[in-house]
Amino acid sequence: MAFLRSVTNTTKTAIAAFALPAALAFSSLSPSSPNPKPENLFFLSPSSFLLTSARFGLVKNLTQRPSSVSMDTSTSNQKPISQDNGALPEILTEFMVDMKCEGCVNSVRNKLQTVNGVKNVEVDLANQVVRILGSSPVKTMTEALEKTGRNARLIGQGIPEDFLVSAAVAEFKGPDIFGVVRFAQVNMELARIEASFSGVSPGKHGWSINEFGDLTKGAASTGKVFNPTNQGTEQEPLGDLGTLDVDEKGDAFFSGTKRKLRVADLIGRSVVLFGTEDKSDEGLTAAVIARSAGVGENYKKVCTCDGTIIWESSNNDFVASKV
């Protein structure tokens, strides 16, 4: 698997082997799944799929440390989430898209280039992979791809840096509340967070990253809000994610950033959604945070356990969420 590293005066590449991501549910379920599926998957060998600095302008755009940025929607009113200018930092996002010809490539590229925040698009027809550089939320890019009439699955997210873990995901699989929370490392001082929930009671709900991934008693056994002594404060723990606004349909969408949050420190912990805004209850539900695929780490299309191709899998194989 090709994994991009930061580009300085010359383009450098290295090969890194990583654990299977949780971003694709049929290939790697969250640690909380009671009946995980086999994970022995066939990995494709993408040929010449590395980006060059000239094609994406990585030197200029991704080696500079982004300024303080924040949410694109007013879904939180708490200080732990930055709220300066409404823009997300630029990262690379990879989708596997069902494409069969150059006409498909042009349709996908043209549609994505109309999306606000998309800066560059690279399409690899041979491997059916689309790589997008920009600040658009995953939800927005997914909806754009769906409008082309093609199946699309998110397979990786991050930036070409030497982070040990650049992306993580927590999946809420019901039976009442469904959702996905995704974390992507922007730099060592900033993480990007995107979340989508459905089946939640309307109104304001607190949510947080908690210390433990122990779900034996649901949210009640996940411990306190995650708060490293050298990062957060007692009044504002690092793991406090503020407040989610849930609409009358029971849906909530969030995109924002969190300073001092390091994705590698979150693996094995949990995301908890509370019934109250002030988090005074034990929590409605929780999901374990698992490692997800970074850029260039996830080009598999076939599950060798049952021979299922990604496009043949049903939506039941994936979390019911647009994120």
Side-chain angles (χ1 to χ4, degrees):
M1 293 175 286
F3 181 78
L4 295 178
R5 302 182 67 181
S6 58
V7 183
T8 52
N9 295 325
T10 59
T11 301
K12 300 179 181 179
T13 57
I15 303 300
F18 292 96
L20 295 179
L24 203 52
F26 71 76
S27 61
S28 179
L29 299 179
S30 68
S32 59
S33 283
N35 298 302
K37 296 182 181 180
E39 294 185 355
N40 54 324
L41 295 163
F42 170 70
F43 284 78
L44 298 180
S45 299
S47 59
S48 64
F49 191 59
L50 295 177
L51 296 175
T52 64
S53 58
R55 295 174 74 181
F56 263 126
L58 296 177
V59 173
K60 178 179 179 181
N61 298 314
L62 291 179
T63 57
Q64 295 177 351
R65 180 163 298 184
S67 59
S68 178
V69 290
S70 68
M71 308 184 318
D72 64 349
T73 56
S74 57
T75 51
S76 173
N77 57 12
Q78 301 296 318
K79 292 181 181 179
I81 303 294
S82 71
Q83 304 182 53
D84 295 335
N85 56 26
L88 287 171
E90 290 181 357
I91 57 175
L92 288 171
T93 303
E94 290 179 321
F95 289 91
M96 194 164 282
V97 182
D98 190 12
M99 300 176 292
K100 296 179 174 62
C101 64
E102 287 299 327
C104 300
V105 171
N106 292 333
S107 175
V108 167
R109 182 184 286 114
N110 292 340
K111 185 62 178 179
L112 287 171
Q113 288 175 342
T114 67
V115 175
N116 186 37
V118 170
K119 193 164 189 177
N120 285 293
V121 179
E122 179 181 275
V123 183
D124 179 358
L125 177 59
N127 293 301
Q128 296 184 299
V129 172
V130 177
R131 181 173 284 161
I132 305 161
L133 172 65
S135 58
S136 300
V138 171
K139 179 177 183 290
T140 303
M141 292 184 286
T142 303
E143 290 173 345
L145 288 168
E146 288 177 346
K147 289 179 180 178
T148 69
R150 293 167 178 82
N151 293 319
R153 303 294 189 196
L154 175 68
I155 61 171
Q157 195 172 37
I159 65 171
E161 288 287 353
D162 289 328
F163 300 125
L164 180 61
V165 178
S166 61
V169 62
E171 300 175 293
F172 293 77
K173 299 185 178 183
D176 300 315
I177 296 175
F178 293 84
V180 176
V181 181
R182 299 189 185 279
F183 302 90
Q185 197 77 59
V186 178
N187 59 51
M188 294 309 293
E189 297 298 324
L190 189 71
R192 176 167 152 167
I193 305 171
E194 296 185 64
S196 177
F197 289 93
S198 61
V200 188
S201 58
K204 295 184 181 296
H205 294 265
W207 63 315
S208 66
I209 300 164
N210 280 18
E211 295 175 307
F212 312 124
D214 179 5
L215 303 184
T216 54
K217 297 181 180 179
S221 53
T222 59
K224 298 178 180 179
V225 177
F226 175 56
N227 191 30
T229 55
N230 62 336
Q231 299 294 332
T233 66
E234 185 175 349
Q235 292 75 27
E236 295 181 5
L238 182 64
D240 184 0
L241 299 178
T243 303
L244 281 175
D245 259 330
V246 181
D247 64 23
E248 65 278 1
K249 296 180 181 179
D251 299 331
F253 173 69
F254 173 93
S255 62
T257 59
K258 182 79 172 181
R259 289 200 168 277
K260 300 183 180 180
L261 193 66
R262 298 190 178 183
V263 174
D265 296 337
L266 308 183
I267 308 303
R269 304 187 190 280
S270 61
V271 175
V272 176
L273 179 64
F274 293 87
T276 59
E277 183 178 3
D278 62 4
K279 308 176 183 66
S280 57
D281 58 303
E282 290 185 341
L284 295 174
T285 185
V288 175
I289 301 172
R291 182 174 179 170
S292 185
V295 173
E297 294 181 24
N298 185 23
Y299 297 133
K300 55 185 172 291
K301 288 198 292 187
V302 181
C303 177
T304 57
C305 60
D306 59 8
T308 300
I309 299 174
I310 185 172
W311 312 125
E312 296 175 346
S313 60
S314 71
N315 287 330
N316 292 330
D317 289 323
F318 298 85
V319 174
S321 171
K322 293 290 187 180
V323 175

